PDB file of all heavy atoms in Angstrom:
ATOM      1  N   ILE A   7     103.241  29.417-149.819  1.00 94.00           N
ATOM      2  CA  ILE A   7     104.708  29.146-149.770  1.00 94.00           C
ATOM      3  C   ILE A   7     105.335  30.136-148.789  1.00 94.00           C
ATOM      4  O   ILE A   7     106.111  29.765-147.918  1.00 94.00           O
ATOM      5  CB  ILE A   7     105.340  29.166-151.149  1.00 94.00           C
ATOM      6  CG1 ILE A   7     104.975  27.975-152.038  1.00 94.00           C
ATOM      7  CG2 ILE A   7     106.905  29.259-151.099  1.00 94.00           C
ATOM      8  CD1 ILE A   7     105.359  28.072-153.421  1.00 94.00           C
ATOM      9  N   LEU A  13     106.666  30.076-141.165  1.00 96.00           N
ATOM     10  CA  LEU A  13     106.476  29.264-140.049  1.00 96.00           C
ATOM     11  C   LEU A  13     107.614  28.312-139.724  1.00 96.00           C
ATOM     12  O   LEU A  13     107.984  28.217-138.557  1.00 96.00           O
ATOM     13  CB  LEU A  13     105.154  28.355-140.271  1.00 96.00           C
ATOM     14  CG  LEU A  13     103.831  29.135-140.242  1.00 96.00           C
ATOM     15  CD1 LEU A  13     102.732  28.142-140.593  1.00 96.00           C
ATOM     16  CD2 LEU A  13     103.530  29.738-138.910  1.00 96.00           C
ATOM     17  N   SER A  14     108.234  27.907-140.764  1.00 96.00           N
ATOM     18  CA  SER A  14     109.452  27.017-140.491  1.00 96.00           C
ATOM     19  C   SER A  14     110.520  27.974-139.948  1.00 96.00           C
ATOM     20  O   SER A  14     111.330  27.519-139.077  1.00 96.00           O
ATOM     21  CB  SER A  14     109.886  26.371-141.809  1.00 96.00           C
ATOM     22  OG  SER A  14     110.150  27.378-142.839  1.00 96.00           O
ATOM     23  N   LEU A  24     119.784  32.244-134.111  1.00 95.00           N
ATOM     24  CA  LEU A  24     119.890  32.899-135.423  1.00 95.00           C
ATOM     25  C   LEU A  24     121.461  33.200-135.590  1.00 95.00           C
ATOM     26  O   LEU A  24     121.924  33.136-136.663  1.00 95.00           O
ATOM     27  CB  LEU A  24     119.016  34.086-135.579  1.00 95.00           C
ATOM     28  CG  LEU A  24     118.914  34.804-136.904  1.00 95.00           C
ATOM     29  CD1 LEU A  24     117.534  35.315-137.076  1.00 95.00           C
ATOM     30  CD2 LEU A  24     119.903  35.935-137.058  1.00 95.00           C
ATOM     31  N   TRP A  25     121.993  33.696-134.479  1.00 95.00           N
ATOM     32  CA  TRP A  25     123.323  34.198-134.534  1.00 95.00           C
ATOM     33  C   TRP A  25     123.954  33.715-133.204  1.00 95.00           C
ATOM     34  O   TRP A  25     123.284  33.700-132.216  1.00 95.00           O
ATOM     35  CB  TRP A  25     123.384  35.673-134.603  1.00 95.00           C
ATOM     36  CG  TRP A  25     124.742  36.351-134.453  1.00 95.00           C
ATOM     37  CD1 TRP A  25     125.686  36.615-135.437  1.00 95.00           C
ATOM     38  CD2 TRP A  25     125.335  36.817-133.267  1.00 95.00           C
ATOM     39  NE1 TRP A  25     126.755  37.139-134.887  1.00 95.00           N
ATOM     40  CE2 TRP A  25     126.602  37.264-133.626  1.00 95.00           C
ATOM     41  CE3 TRP A  25     125.012  36.874-131.895  1.00 95.00           C
ATOM     42  CZ2 TRP A  25     127.536  37.839-132.626  1.00 95.00           C
ATOM     43  CZ3 TRP A  25     125.793  37.316-131.019  1.00 95.00           C
ATOM     44  CH2 TRP A  25     127.077  37.813-131.338  1.00 95.00           C
ATOM     45  N   ARG A  49     124.659  30.328-116.520  1.00 90.00           N
ATOM     46  CA  ARG A  49     123.881  30.702-117.616  1.00 90.00           C
ATOM     47  C   ARG A  49     123.021  31.957-117.221  1.00 90.00           C
ATOM     48  O   ARG A  49     122.705  32.120-116.020  1.00 90.00           O
ATOM     49  CB  ARG A  49     122.772  29.633-117.915  1.00 90.00           C
ATOM     50  CG  ARG A  49     122.644  29.371-119.365  1.00 90.00           C
ATOM     51  CD  ARG A  49     121.713  28.175-119.530  1.00 90.00           C
ATOM     52  NE  ARG A  49     121.164  28.245-120.853  1.00 90.00           N
ATOM     53  CZ  ARG A  49     121.847  27.901-121.991  1.00 90.00           C
ATOM     54  NH1 ARG A  49     123.126  27.478-121.855  1.00 90.00           N
ATOM     55  NH2 ARG A  49     121.286  27.953-123.120  1.00 90.00           N
ATOM     56  N   PHE A  53     116.730  39.283-121.610  1.00 91.00           N
ATOM     57  CA  PHE A  53     115.591  39.547-122.507  1.00 91.00           C
ATOM     58  C   PHE A  53     115.696  40.931-123.210  1.00 91.00           C
ATOM     59  O   PHE A  53     115.979  41.829-122.588  1.00 91.00           O
ATOM     60  CB  PHE A  53     114.274  39.473-121.593  1.00 91.00           C
ATOM     61  CG  PHE A  53     113.061  39.997-122.356  1.00 91.00           C
ATOM     62  CD1 PHE A  53     112.396  39.083-123.143  1.00 91.00           C
ATOM     63  CD2 PHE A  53     112.590  41.218-122.229  1.00 91.00           C
ATOM     64  CE1 PHE A  53     111.257  39.486-123.878  1.00 91.00           C
ATOM     65  CE2 PHE A  53     111.498  41.670-123.034  1.00 91.00           C
ATOM     66  CZ  PHE A  53     110.792  40.778-123.837  1.00 91.00           C
ATOM     67  N   ILE A  70      99.352  38.526-143.440  1.00 94.00           N
ATOM     68  CA  ILE A  70      98.666  39.682-144.022  1.00 94.00           C
ATOM     69  C   ILE A  70      98.059  39.295-145.420  1.00 94.00           C
ATOM     70  O   ILE A  70      96.831  39.572-145.657  1.00 94.00           O
ATOM     71  CB  ILE A  70      99.506  40.973-144.178  1.00 94.00           C
ATOM     72  CG1 ILE A  70      99.724  41.596-142.751  1.00 94.00           C
ATOM     73  CG2 ILE A  70      98.972  41.961-145.219  1.00 94.00           C
ATOM     74  CD1 ILE A  70     100.796  42.745-142.832  1.00 94.00           C
ATOM     75  N   GLY A  76      92.271  41.511-151.285  1.00 86.00           N
ATOM     76  CA  GLY A  76      91.643  42.226-152.360  1.00 86.00           C
ATOM     77  C   GLY A  76      92.569  43.155-153.089  1.00 86.00           C
ATOM     78  O   GLY A  76      92.287  43.463-154.246  1.00 86.00           O
ATOM     79  N   TYR A  79      98.263  46.048-152.416  1.00 93.00           N
ATOM     80  CA  TYR A  79      98.915  46.700-151.286  1.00 93.00           C
ATOM     81  C   TYR A  79      99.085  45.738-150.189  1.00 93.00           C
ATOM     82  O   TYR A  79      99.888  46.009-149.326  1.00 93.00           O
ATOM     83  CB  TYR A  79      98.109  47.954-150.926  1.00 93.00           C
ATOM     84  CG  TYR A  79      98.402  48.951-151.862  1.00 93.00           C
ATOM     85  CD1 TYR A  79      97.455  49.452-152.788  1.00 93.00           C
ATOM     86  CD2 TYR A  79      99.596  49.733-151.884  1.00 93.00           C
ATOM     87  CE1 TYR A  79      97.677  50.369-153.751  1.00 93.00           C
ATOM     88  CE2 TYR A  79      99.867  50.747-152.755  1.00 93.00           C
ATOM     89  CZ  TYR A  79      98.883  51.053-153.750  1.00 93.00           C
ATOM     90  OH  TYR A  79      99.123  52.020-154.595  1.00 93.00           O
ATOM     91  N   ILE A 100     123.154  45.013-133.220  1.00 93.00           N
ATOM     92  CA  ILE A 100     123.824  46.313-132.969  1.00 93.00           C
ATOM     93  C   ILE A 100     123.806  46.438-131.408  1.00 93.00           C
ATOM     94  O   ILE A 100     124.837  46.850-130.782  1.00 93.00           O
ATOM     95  CB  ILE A 100     123.065  47.547-133.540  1.00 93.00           C
ATOM     96  CG1 ILE A 100     123.293  47.499-135.122  1.00 93.00           C
ATOM     97  CG2 ILE A 100     123.552  48.819-132.989  1.00 93.00           C
ATOM     98  CD1 ILE A 100     122.417  48.440-135.810  1.00 93.00           C
ATOM     99  N   TYR A 122     146.395  37.502-117.729  1.00 93.00           N
ATOM    100  CA  TYR A 122     145.951  37.854-119.039  1.00 93.00           C
ATOM    101  C   TYR A 122     145.357  36.520-119.678  1.00 93.00           C
ATOM    102  O   TYR A 122     146.080  35.424-119.659  1.00 93.00           O
ATOM    103  CB  TYR A 122     147.095  38.363-119.907  1.00 93.00           C
ATOM    104  CG  TYR A 122     146.901  38.478-121.338  1.00 93.00           C
ATOM    105  CD1 TYR A 122     146.303  39.680-121.792  1.00 93.00           C
ATOM    106  CD2 TYR A 122     147.078  37.487-122.260  1.00 93.00           C
ATOM    107  CE1 TYR A 122     146.020  39.913-123.233  1.00 93.00           C
ATOM    108  CE2 TYR A 122     146.851  37.665-123.577  1.00 93.00           C
ATOM    109  CZ  TYR A 122     146.323  38.827-124.072  1.00 93.00           C
ATOM    110  OH  TYR A 122     145.978  38.937-125.383  1.00 93.00           O
ATOM    111  N   PRO A 126     140.018  33.478-127.779  1.00 91.00           N
ATOM    112  CA  PRO A 126     139.479  33.705-129.138  1.00 91.00           C
ATOM    113  C   PRO A 126     138.070  33.150-129.422  1.00 91.00           C
ATOM    114  O   PRO A 126     137.685  32.110-128.759  1.00 91.00           O
ATOM    115  CB  PRO A 126     140.495  32.925-130.051  1.00 91.00           C
ATOM    116  CG  PRO A 126     141.117  31.988-129.164  1.00 91.00           C
ATOM    117  CD  PRO A 126     141.099  32.483-127.787  1.00 91.00           C
ATOM    118  N   LEU A 135     118.599  32.246-140.095  1.00 95.00           N
ATOM    119  CA  LEU A 135     118.981  33.418-140.966  1.00 95.00           C
ATOM    120  C   LEU A 135     118.894  32.968-142.403  1.00 95.00           C
ATOM    121  O   LEU A 135     118.350  33.856-143.201  1.00 95.00           O
ATOM    122  CB  LEU A 135     120.420  33.797-140.661  1.00 95.00           C
ATOM    123  CG  LEU A 135     120.898  35.029-141.570  1.00 95.00           C
ATOM    124  CD1 LEU A 135     120.431  36.279-140.919  1.00 95.00           C
ATOM    125  CD2 LEU A 135     122.291  34.951-141.883  1.00 95.00           C
ATOM    126  N   LEU A 161      93.286  24.615-165.610  1.00 80.00           N
ATOM    127  CA  LEU A 161      92.381  23.980-166.468  1.00 80.00           C
ATOM    128  C   LEU A 161      91.511  25.070-167.199  1.00 80.00           C
ATOM    129  O   LEU A 161      91.159  26.075-166.467  1.00 80.00           O
ATOM    130  CB  LEU A 161      91.494  23.092-165.774  1.00 80.00           C
ATOM    131  CG  LEU A 161      92.089  21.880-165.234  1.00 80.00           C
ATOM    132  CD1 LEU A 161      91.170  21.109-164.304  1.00 80.00           C
ATOM    133  CD2 LEU A 161      92.604  21.034-166.290  1.00 80.00           C
ATOM    134  N   ALA A 167      84.633  22.020-166.828  1.00 87.00           N
ATOM    135  CA  ALA A 167      83.307  21.619-166.954  1.00 87.00           C
ATOM    136  C   ALA A 167      83.092  20.131-167.280  1.00 87.00           C
ATOM    137  O   ALA A 167      82.266  19.459-166.723  1.00 87.00           O
ATOM    138  CB  ALA A 167      82.540  22.475-167.981  1.00 87.00           C
ATOM    139  N   PRO A 176      75.978  16.897-165.571  1.00 87.00           N
ATOM    140  CA  PRO A 176      76.237  17.918-166.731  1.00 87.00           C
ATOM    141  C   PRO A 176      75.687  19.237-166.356  1.00 87.00           C
ATOM    142  O   PRO A 176      76.323  20.378-166.621  1.00 87.00           O
ATOM    143  CB  PRO A 176      75.564  17.283-167.932  1.00 87.00           C
ATOM    144  CG  PRO A 176      75.534  15.844-167.643  1.00 87.00           C
ATOM    145  CD  PRO A 176      75.362  15.643-166.204  1.00 87.00           C
ATOM    146  N   SER A 252      74.665  29.624-174.526  1.00 87.00           N
ATOM    147  CA  SER A 252      74.522  30.454-173.331  1.00 87.00           C
ATOM    148  C   SER A 252      75.394  31.765-173.577  1.00 87.00           C
ATOM    149  O   SER A 252      74.903  32.888-173.206  1.00 87.00           O
ATOM    150  CB  SER A 252      75.086  29.845-172.120  1.00 87.00           C
ATOM    151  OG  SER A 252      74.419  28.582-171.874  1.00 87.00           O
TER     152      SER A 252
END
Side-chain angles (χ1 to χ4, degrees):
Chain A
I7 290 171
L13 288 180
S14 56
L24 188 145
W25 172 90
R49 222 175 162 78
F53 171 81
I70 286 168
Y79 284 103
I100 292 169
Y122 172 86
L135 180 86
L161 294 174
S252 308

